Amino acid sequence: EPPHFLRAFEISRGGLISDMDEFGEVGGFLPENLDANMPDSSITYRDLRENFGEKISDNEIHLEYENTALYSPLSYLPQALGVLLGRIITKNVLLTAYFGRFFAFLTIGFVLYLSIKNIPVGKNVLMAVSLLPITVQECMSLAADGMAYAMATALFSYVMYLRYGKIEKIGKKQFILLSILCIMVASCKVVYLPVCLCVFLLPLNKIGDGKTKNYIISTFALCALAGVFSLGWLAICHGFLPFGEAVNSGEQLSGMLKHPINYLLVLYRTFGKYFIIQMIYLFGGCMGMMDIACDYVIVTACAGIFFYIVKNESVSVKDENWKKIRIALFVIVAILIVLTLTSLYLQYTPVGLGYITGMQGRYYIPMILLFVLALKKDGEEEVALSIYPWMGLSAMCIAALVTMVARYLF
């Protein structure tokens, strides 16, 4: 988490783009002790108590945070606002970081609340995904993943609301909000850009005068806007892209284009090798910085309750085009998975390795709702869930978070 704090601190001071020093290290000139009290794999609460009173130093040095420097400032907006307020109120390093965490949690929580409240389909699944231990952890941290999930969810929820809600015509206000959400999704994480394709699920008869030409122009304009922001930022910070050892993205890309069948085999082997462990991690099997293992009772119970909620989720929108929507959602999810894996293949996977490294279960979080709805048929009988599944899932989430907190007590 320290690199995320450093990036949020930089943005809070108006530093939108990081720099590279003469040694090739990407980061920025920041107070020298900013990352001194941030939790890592070795620090304990005793260490935090001993250093709690440490103030933000006036001496600045070039600190390295290569992996977060490439993130757009928009993805750290709530964290940066919290850090800014923390800097105004206190000079305490740790309290300033917690202001960033608190603002991120409030912002993401509010966005998810509105999404759950307004989405006409998949409400229970969306709430269940948001209660998964790994989701709550990301939303409570200074990392950008929680914001990426919230924005992707908000965009899809709003599109479904416009399609099935009481709004008869999509006017300027709706298009402005759609534009903002598309920009935010594209800015939070480039690989989640395909989520913006869900704007093509907007109904033809609610856009303009209902003519196909206006529909195509409007939807393509939204996707193009998102693409410009996403690729524009990528062009600005492409020099900051971190690469693992023995990695050559140019050679990897050339191999993909020349031998696409071989790359499909790489994808297949990656799923065969890592998919089960990724699912375990998704349901809380590995928390913190991938170094805190939760009991398998928690993981199993969390997964069981989640799948029970998914099984009892129903779709009853009476839409004759629902089958086409399901196909579209399958396509979007497939693109998201392939794009995520391809980015890791180019950026982190050594040349010649037969599988892709770096894929984590949390990367699937924004895709789950779309995938579940793609499996559901319209007209299914609604099943009213009791409070007990929610109590159980909340309990497992708390148990996982307690396990994570306990890791730092000793």
Side-chain angles (χ1 to χ4, degrees), residues 39-76:
D40 58 24
S41 58
S42 60
I43 202 168
T44 67
Y45 280 113
R46 182 179 298 176
D47 300 321
L48 294 180
R49 287 197 303 270
E50 291 176 355
N51 299 316
F52 182 78
E54 187 164 350
K55 304 297 182 182
I56 297 175
S57 174
D58 292 326
N59 184 38
E60 296 191 357
I61 61 174
H62 192 275
L63 297 176
E64 187 271 332
Y65 40 97
E66 183 182 48
N67 61 322
T68 59
L70 57 89
Y71 281 94
S72 163
L74 291 177
S75 59
Y76 286 103

Side-chain angles (χ1 to χ4, degrees), residues 251-272:
E251 188 174 339
Q252 296 282 61
L253 181 60
S254 176
M256 284 174 52
L257 297 176
K258 291 180 179 178
H259 308 286
I261 301 300
N262 287 346
Y263 183 62
L264 291 177
L265 291 175
V266 169
L267 294 176
Y268 174 77
R269 285 192 291 267
T270 301
F271 276 106

Side-chain angles (χ1 to χ4, degrees), residues 333-354:
V333 170
I335 295 174
L336 284 168
I337 293 174
V338 172
L339 190 58
T340 302
L341 287 169
T342 300
S343 69
L344 295 171
Y345 182 70
L346 297 175
Q347 197 171 338
Y348 291 107
T349 306
V351 176
L353 196 64

